Amino acid sequence: MREYYKEHSYSGIYPSRIMHNMGVSGKISGAMNVVSEIKDAVAIIHSPKGCGFHYKYIARRRYLPSYKAQCTNLKEEDIIFGIEKKLKETISETINNYHPKLIVIIPSVCTDIIDVEINKDIKDEFKEETDCKIIFIKSEVFSHIDKSSSKKNNEERILYWDKPEKQKGIGKGCGIDEAMTAFVAQLMEKQKVQDRTVNIESFAWGGNKNLEGIISILSEMGISVNSVMPSCSTEDIIKAPIAKLNIVRRSSWAKNMKKVFGTEYFHVNTFHPYHGLEGIEKFYTNIADYFDISLEASKILSDMKQQVSTEIHETKNYIMKHTFALYSNSVSNLPYMIEALTNDYGVNLKYICINIDYNKLEYEYIDKNIVENTMMNIKKVINDTGNNTIIYINSEKEDLKRIFKHVDIVINGTEFLSSFKGLKTIDVGKLFIPIDFNNFKNNVYDFANKVKKARSQENLIISKFTYDDLLYPTIGEMGPTTSEKMWHKMWTLRR
């Protein structure tokens, strides 16, 4: 995306995923995300002024509001007597003030309740005045993906953690998917398909120029990118059916495009099958299969893989000289992390210390059955990697202090800096998974550099605070912790 990942540089201390889950979120936010990426488009939020104001402040791009976004400013009398006049006035003002190539009308809960759909006559009326395209997003459901769907997605992800092709996922209520589906139905036009061309959905490929790396390797394989949607122009979206294949993170809109235009799609539901050198090779081999170029692609990919393997050999040997403990207060991502750390980075994982707090897991829609299945997956990964890793669950602080003294470095143990003097930690979060060879190489170098620089951080300001064990990195004082627990409880009940 053109602007998306600046967010993580500017606001990393307050990650955008928190806003996505519990702040200015919902379907309007997702749709606004899409429209704001299109270079020559303007969004009209079909709603009262409250939604129009708040959703200019996009959850996934908080540092840069969507200044051009318009609102129909609906009032009670409009809802009762008709909202067509307000909509026409807003469209006219938008065309006159901004001269866009595309206007996207985004519904709100209020217009969803009265089942508003843009009248074809309105489109025809403006067609005589301007070449600006006007489309209307149709809601699948009233709300963003609810907690029952999130729980089902979690269960599916855990059950089929090593079979991602079986992870279908429930996406109804995703504003991004609804907006992209509207483009398929109302904006795209039939084109002559060109072989060895792809469209790439631009959302959620991770930072560190991961998307640029994908495009570069595809180019080496002789595959060109027709468009990166929606981070493109209106004309690019109109001509999207030129591509033979869509590479997507969300499958719903891609299924619709296949029905309408016959465009095949490659769904990347999760990056986990594509971690490490073997996984990256598998990713591009899967794409090559769609174009029947597997043999020629395999030679290119094999050479790239071998080159990077040679370049990181000494670095991985350096990492392997150290012993590590992995600390986590979440379970869902651990099987993948353990597998990647061990196989991809050469981490000698001596201990895994897990803090399972069901109060916190409730916020993530994870129950006891999901935890039990995850623990089975963790044990399977440890067995498959050949490590003699010991697992500790819900250890007391004094026990953790003793365990950590038997390793060189603790991964993701920053909350103990204030209480465990001399503790050496490195923070890898949920572990970014690159799916191009150059990014993977840089990741290994970066991890080794963190290992090299790991030292006691007890003199840093971050180590001077006492953190809440349940809500790290919230400060362990009554005001902040009470407020956050209350907010979590309200949000869990709401969804």
Side-chain angles (χ1 to χ4, degrees):
M1 294 168 60
R2 291 185 290 121
E3 303 287 353
Y4 183 81
Y5 295 106
K6 285 184 182 178
E7 169 74 9
H8 295 272
S9 299
Y10 295 165
S11 315
I13 198 167
Y14 186 35
S16 59
R17 66 179 177 274
I18 294 175
M19 283 290 286
H20 185 251
N21 288 336
M22 292 183 293
V24 185
S25 189
K27 297 195 307 171
I28 296 178
S29 180
M32 284 289 291
N33 239 351
V34 171
V35 182
S36 66
E37 282 296 307
I38 304 169
K39 297 173 184 176
D40 47 12
V42 174
I44 293 178
I45 304 171
H46 203 10
S47 70
K49 63 183 179 182
C51 288
F53 173 79
H54 288 293
Y55 283 105
K56 281 192 173 187
Y57 182 70
I58 303 170
R60 291 280 186 160
R61 200 184 71 183
R62 301 190 308 283
Y63 69 94
L64 182 61
S66 182
Y67 294 110
K68 291 183 181 179
Q70 303 299 296
C71 175
T72 50
N73 190 18
L74 299 177
K75 297 180 179 177
E76 186 176 4
E77 56 265 33
D78 300 315
I79 304 300
I80 296 169
F81 296 109
I83 59 180
E84 188 174 292
K85 182 182 176 184
K86 278 278 186 75
L87 178 59
K88 288 166 72 173
E89 287 174 354
T90 309
I91 292 172
S92 184
E93 288 173 6
T94 303
I95 291 171
N96 292 333
N97 292 337
Y98 297 102
H99 311 288
K101 293 291 184 183
L102 173 66
I103 289 175
V104 182
I105 300 165
I106 301 173
S108 61
V109 172
C110 123
T111 52
D112 277 342
I113 289 172
I114 58 176
D115 198 25
V116 170
E117 192 164 348
I118 187 168
N119 193 306
K120 184 178 181 296
D121 293 340
I122 294 179
K123 286 188 178 183
D124 291 341
E125 181 179 326
F126 285 100
K127 196 179 287 184
E128 297 173 5
E129 302 176 16
T130 178
D131 61 353
C132 175
K133 305 285 185 182
I134 301 172
I135 69 172
F136 183 87
I137 296 174
K138 181 68 177 173
S139 293
E140 289 183 295
V141 291
F142 286 126
S143 180
H144 191 261
I145 302 168
D146 62 22
K147 62 184 179 185
S148 61
S149 298
S150 297
K151 183 180 177 182
K152 187 171 177 60
N153 288 342
N154 280 334
E155 290 172 342
E156 200 174 68
R157 190 172 68 249
I158 298 304
L159 185 61
Y160 300 120
W161 76 275
D162 55 348
K163 298 180 181 68
E165 66 279 359
K166 292 188 176 182
Q167 298 176 23
K168 304 303 179 186
I170 299 172
K172 269 193 174 183
C174 173
I176 293 174
D177 233 337
E178 290 180 354
M180 297 292 283
T181 298
F183 296 156
V184 173
Q186 303 172 49
L187 188 60
M188 294 179 187
E189 298 175 359
K190 192 169 181 62
Q191 308 285 331
K192 184 178 179 181
V193 177
Q194 296 179 9
D195 194 22
R196 295 202 184 192
T197 55
V198 297
N199 297 316
I200 303 177
E201 180 187 350
S202 57
F203 292 90
W205 292 101
N208 296 2
K209 298 186 177 180
N210 215 11
L211 186 54
E212 289 92 331
I214 293 169
I215 294 170
S216 176
I217 293 180
L218 290 175
S219 178
E220 291 286 334
M221 294 164 58
I223 298 171
S224 61
V225 176
N226 177 55
S227 67
V228 179
M229 295 192 295
S231 306
C232 57
S233 67
T234 300
E235 188 66 20
D236 291 331
I237 297 174
I238 291 171
K239 294 182 176 179
I242 285 175
K244 187 174 181 179
L245 178 70
N246 286 323
I247 302 173
V248 303
R249 295 302 318 275
R250 296 160 185 82
S251 62
S252 182
W253 72 268
K255 287 176 183 176
N256 282 309
M257 190 167 169
K258 183 177 180 179
K259 286 179 184 176
V260 177
F261 299 104
T263 312
E264 292 289 345
Y265 65 92
F266 173 47
H267 182 208
V268 186
N269 184 44
T270 173
F271 291 161
H272 296 128
Y274 308 117
H275 71 77
L277 293 177
E278 300 296 331
I280 294 170
E281 184 179 38
K282 177 183 176 183
F283 177 82
Y284 294 99
T285 300
N286 288 349
I287 294 173
D289 287 342
Y290 285 94
F291 300 98
D292 295 323
I293 57 170
S294 300
L295 286 177
E296 58 185 279
S298 67
K299 176 67 169 68
I300 296 167
L301 296 170
S302 179
D303 289 346
M304 288 181 173
K305 183 178 72 171
Q306 185 57 49
Q307 181 180 341
V308 171
S309 180
T310 302
E311 290 174 357
I312 65 173
H313 180 70
E314 286 187 19
T315 306
K316 284 185 69 174
N317 282 342
Y318 170 76
I319 295 170
M320 290 169 72
K321 292 177 182 177
H322 299 79
T323 55
F324 296 82
L326 170 63
Y327 177 81
S328 179
N329 51 25
S330 179
V331 295
S332 60
N333 207 48
L334 276 182
Y336 308 105
M337 278 194 70
I338 296 164
E339 191 174 59
L341 285 169
T342 305
N343 293 342
D344 303 343
Y345 297 85
V347 168
N348 178 8
L349 205 53
K350 196 170 181 180
Y351 305 112
I352 298 171
C353 303
I354 309 170
N355 178 30
I356 300 176
D357 190 313
Y358 287 100
N359 291 319
K360 181 172 182 178
L361 294 179
E362 183 185 2
Y363 307 150
E364 302 174 15
Y365 314 123
I366 294 174
D367 60 19
K368 289 185 178 181
N369 288 333
I370 293 176
V371 172
E372 288 173 6
N373 285 328
T374 304
M375 291 306 302
M376 289 172 59
N377 294 339
I378 289 170
K379 290 172 183 176
K380 183 178 184 301
V381 169
I382 290 172
N383 185 62
D384 290 347
T385 54
N387 279 353
N388 294 317
T389 308
I390 300 172
I391 302 173
Y392 291 98
I393 298 174
N394 291 347
S395 300
E396 299 293 332
K397 276 193 174 181
E398 285 304 310
D399 292 325
L400 287 173
K401 194 172 186 178
R402 174 182 54 80
I403 293 165
F404 292 164
K405 281 182 178 179
H406 289 88
V407 296
D408 299 318
I409 297 165
V410 177
I411 299 171
N412 292 349
T414 50
E415 53 257 65
F416 299 112
L417 287 174
S418 60
S419 51
F420 293 2
K421 301 302 180 185
L423 182 69
K424 294 181 180 180
T425 68
I426 58 174
D427 184 15
V428 298
K430 289 189 175 181
L431 199 64
F432 165 65
I433 300 177
I435 43 178
D436 71 278
F437 293 111
N438 193 57
N439 248 326
F440 174 73
K441 177 180 69 176
N442 290 337
N443 254 31
V444 175
Y445 288 162
D446 182 58
F447 188 89
N449 195 42
K450 287 180 177 179
V451 172
K452 191 173 184 179
K453 292 182 177 180
R455 57 177 60 89
S456 172
Q457 302 179 58
E458 57 198 58
N459 293 323
L460 298 180
I461 292 175
I462 193 174
S463 68
K464 303 299 181 183
F465 298 102
T466 301
Y467 299 100
D468 184 90
D469 292 337
L470 174 63
L471 300 169
Y472 177 83
T474 300
I475 303 298
E477 296 175 0
M478 184 176 289
T481 56
T482 303
S483 297
E484 188 163 349
K485 286 175 183 177
M486 179 179 69
W487 176 255
H488 275 296
K489 190 68 176 175
M490 289 169 61
W491 194 259
T492 304
L493 290 171
R494 176 183 180 273
R495 297 182 70 191

